[in-house]
Amino acid sequence: MNSLSIAVVGCGYWGKNLVRNFKDLGALTAVCDRNSESAQRLAAQYGVPARTFVEILADGGIDGVVIATPAETHGRLVREALLGGKHVFVEKPLALSVAEARELCALAESRGLILMVGHLLRHHPAFCTLARLCADGELGKIRYLYSHRLNLGKFRTEENALWSFAPHDISMILALVGEQPSEVTSVGHCYLHRTVADVTSTHLTFPSGAAAHVFVSWLHPFKEQRLVVVGDKAMAVFDDTLDWSRKIRLYDHDISWQDGVPHPNPADERPISVDPAEPLRLECGHFLECVRTGTPPTTDGHEGVRVLAVLDAAQRALESREPVPPAQTTDASDVFIHPTAVVDQPSSVGTGTRIWHFSHVLKDSIVGQDCNIGQNVVIGPGVTIGNRCKIQNNVSVYPGVTLEDGVFCGPSMVFTNVINPRAEIERKHEYRPTLVRRGATIGANATIVCGHTVGRFAMVGAGAVVTHDVPDHALVVGNPARVIGGVCRCGARLPAGDWTDAACPACGDTYRQEHHHIRRVGP
């Protein structure tokens, strides 16, 4: 079995634990952190190079990326990694909005990539034992659950205690109950920071009648990590602060009725045997196994969406002080297709996409979210269009062409799919693939000869004829197209001439030219 190659992005408080585990599992290839000193220090400790995120994505030998950066960066980094063809393991939360998280799931599925979310306790041996007890009916029907995740610190100012602590407990509760809540209420209080809640109490009501309570705080005198599950046959406690022999305890309490009054019949606790193992090691190993086999992770992107929907509802309830139903975890229908346009089935058109007059999407095609498809456009059959693409009037996207996210196709530009077409000779078996990478722009009346790749954020001038691969960030013009300069991802032209590092005059991003290739190096 060939070993996998994994890069860890984010070498801070938690990231260094991921680095250690992937190194011990024989998969660590590189580390990355915006603090270059931290990255270099950890790289030296584990004998791997410290690399930039751009370098990691450009390395075809790296199979997967592990992301342990601040939560507000997760959505962007996951998207870039998936577009770069990397399997992704991201720490919670998957993103900061349900819509973005759904989009990332769709992106991973469209590219056949593993997307896993770091809900660590789902891999804890004690929780796995508890889940088996519930599945085997040892507790009977689940009536209610409550969790306490309390500590003194670690204090945060970019997210409240709900977002920092509760995802683990919500993930466990949803797994045990087996359904999404119908209503969420939450209250919280801010003591250390004017707008960041230090303590929150969240209540979940489920359609089956079960209920759950999640109490989290980082302003507590001692550490408590406890999940209690109450069924109609027995009760169980998962207490992660106890030693392995007592982490899971079962209580076969009984309730008897006397003269219409319930009376408890307590039973002694029954410790359940659990094999000790480091949860993080199991989680990292699970990711590697999923990448090897293609098996969906226990905590895949869809599970991340379900947890995020509850967190989002809890945050809205926290702010409104009113019960909130969680967002739907499947895409709602929000697509505009002009009456003169045709979409053959089976095909997929993403939420927010608009398809205008006389356009035709042929069968087995995938059009992403928030795209704008102009008039008289033909897509397919079997073509994939990424999210937020704009295809102007009179463009045909033939089989073999793939557009990644954010691609702009100017009016009347042309894709070919064979080199020497003849009307009377069938050459479908000779189709050559064409890939237009993320953020690229193709000008009006340009021609992209099949079998070539237009690089990320490259710009093809109007009327140009592309007969060779176009590097990332290159500006090409003419027939045949030639490189005359570079463009920033924001679209501004980079300074001309031979340079080692150049700053975009519009946004300040820096670029480096090496052997006629341009790559972004910062910020």
Side-chain angles (χ1 to χ4, degrees):
M1 181 181 296
N2 295 329
S3 61
L4 295 173
S5 175
I6 301 296
V8 177
V9 180
C11 301
Y13 171 76
W14 189 246
K16 62 185 180 183
N17 295 317
L18 290 160
V19 169
R20 170 178 56 84
N21 274 281
F22 280 105
K23 177 64 175 179
D24 291 345
L25 290 166
L28 185 69
T29 297
V31 296
C32 171
D33 196 273
R34 61 184 177 183
N35 184 325
S36 59
E37 292 183 0
S38 296
Q40 291 290 350
R41 186 164 52 250
L42 212 57
Q45 180 180 349
Y46 289 102
V48 296
R51 306 179 69 181
T52 67
F53 190 56
V54 174
E55 290 172 338
I56 288 170
L57 296 189
D59 188 342
I62 293 177
D63 301 294
V65 173
V66 177
I67 296 172
T69 57
E72 63 270 17
T73 68
H74 287 185
R76 175 178 63 84
L77 295 180
V78 170
R79 174 175 297 281
E80 291 186 8
L82 291 172
L83 289 173
K86 310 300 183 188
H87 302 282
V88 176
F89 169 18
V90 58
E91 283 300 328
K92 52 82 179 172
L94 172 56
L96 294 185
S97 75
V98 175
E100 184 178 23
R102 287 199 304 250
E103 193 176 297
L104 294 174
C105 289
L107 179 61
E109 289 176 352
S110 70
R111 284 159 173 76
L113 296 169
I114 295 297
L115 175 57
M116 175 170 158
V117 183
H119 293 148
L120 175 66
L121 293 178
R122 291 288 301 279
H123 303 272
H124 196 299
F127 175 77
C128 294
T129 300
L130 175 60
R132 283 195 297 271
L133 291 171
C134 293
D136 292 343
E138 291 282 341
L139 277 63
K141 182 180 179 180
I142 294 178
R143 287 172 167 167
Y144 76 90
L145 314 88
Y146 76 82
S147 68
H148 288 179
R149 189 162 301 276
L150 316 169
N151 205 356
L152 185 61
K154 176 183 180 186
F155 306 122
R156 299 180 184 272
T157 57
E158 69 277 7
E159 63 184 23
N160 59 28
L162 171 73
W163 285 81
S164 183
F165 286 177
H168 297 297
D169 299 283
I170 292 172
S171 178
M172 291 190 291
I173 288 168
L174 296 184
L176 295 177
V177 177
E179 58 184 354
Q180 286 293 104
S182 54
E183 187 176 86
V184 178
T185 59
S186 188
V187 294
H189 300 281
C190 309
Y191 299 109
L192 301 179
H193 190 282
R194 184 172 58 86
T195 60
V196 178
D198 306 293
V199 54
T200 67
S201 180
T202 301
H203 188 78
L204 315 178
T205 302
F206 292 91
S208 63
H213 178 84
V214 181
F215 178 41
V216 297
S217 173
W218 54 43
L219 199 58
H220 195 75
F222 56 88
K223 187 173 185 178
E224 183 176 349
Q225 296 178 350
R226 181 182 299 157
L227 173 65
V228 176
V229 184
V230 176
D232 61 6
K233 290 173 57 178
M235 307 175 187
V237 179
F238 169 25
D239 192 333
D240 204 17
T241 62
L242 301 180
D243 60 46
W244 285 95
S245 64
R246 299 188 67 234
K247 283 188 185 294
I248 294 290
R249 288 163 291 153
L250 202 61
Y251 295 85
D252 297 309
H253 297 327
D254 185 30
I255 306 296
S256 61
W257 290 80
Q258 300 174 16
D259 300 324
V261 177
H263 291 270
N265 301 310
D268 293 335
E269 73 174 38
R270 180 157 54 98
I272 304 297
S273 175
V274 176
D275 293 329
E278 182 184 0
L280 186 58
R281 177 67 57 87
L282 297 174
E283 184 178 43
C284 294
H286 181 64
F287 175 63
L288 295 177
E289 184 63 20
C290 291
V291 172
R292 287 191 186 100
T293 64
T295 304
T298 300
T299 54
D300 64 3
H302 295 290
E303 199 266 347
V305 171
R306 292 190 290 271
V307 172
L308 189 60
V310 177
L311 281 170
D312 172 72
Q315 181 64 41
R316 287 185 284 132
L318 197 68
E319 295 167 356
S320 66
R321 299 287 177 134
E322 295 180 353
V324 173
Q328 294 294 316
T329 55
T330 55
D331 288 352
S333 179
D334 184 20
V335 175
F336 172 80
I337 300 175
H338 191 270
T340 63
V342 176
V343 177
D344 293 343
Q345 296 302 322
S347 286
S348 173
V349 179
T351 301
T353 287
R354 296 171 292 174
I355 301 177
W356 294 98
H357 308 63
F358 306 109
S359 289
H360 188 180
V361 178
L362 284 82
K363 67 177 183 177
D364 299 321
S365 294
I366 299 172
V367 181
Q369 297 181 355
D370 300 315
C371 292
N372 189 26
I373 309 301
Q375 299 181 32
N376 197 34
V377 171
V378 177
I379 296 172
V383 163
T384 297
I385 307 293
N387 299 317
R388 299 181 304 281
C389 290
K390 293 185 178 179
I391 302 178
Q392 303 251 299
N393 300 348
N394 307 313
V395 174
S396 293
V397 187
Y398 295 118
V401 177
T402 300
L403 308 186
E404 292 186 347
D405 289 0
V407 170
F408 178 93
C409 295
S412 300
M413 61 79 47
V414 175
F415 291 105
T416 72
N417 55 12
V418 293
I419 295 295
N420 54 344
R422 293 290 196 193
E424 296 177 319
I425 300 175
E426 185 70 57
R427 285 204 165 101
K428 289 182 178 180
H429 65 284
E430 295 180 16
Y431 285 174
R432 298 188 182 184
T434 298
L435 175 62
V436 184
R437 305 302 300 268
R438 182 193 175 197
T441 294
I442 303 173
N445 299 302
T447 298
I448 310 299
V449 177
C450 60
H452 300 113
T453 295
V454 179
R456 296 178 182 87
F457 302 103
M459 187 169 288
V460 178
V465 179
V466 172
T467 59
H468 297 86
D469 288 352
V470 178
D472 294 352
H473 296 283
L475 171 62
V476 300
V477 299
N479 181 7
R482 66 190 187 281
V483 178
I484 64 167
V487 286
C488 177
R489 60 179 178 173
C490 74
R493 187 167 180 177
L494 298 175
D498 294 329
W499 34 263
T500 302
D501 290 296
C504 172
C507 70
D509 277 6
T510 55
Y511 293 80
R512 181 170 299 158
Q513 183 174 352
E514 297 175 347
H515 306 296
H516 306 292
H517 290 273
I518 301 169
R519 64 184 181 91
R520 185 169 65 92
V521 295

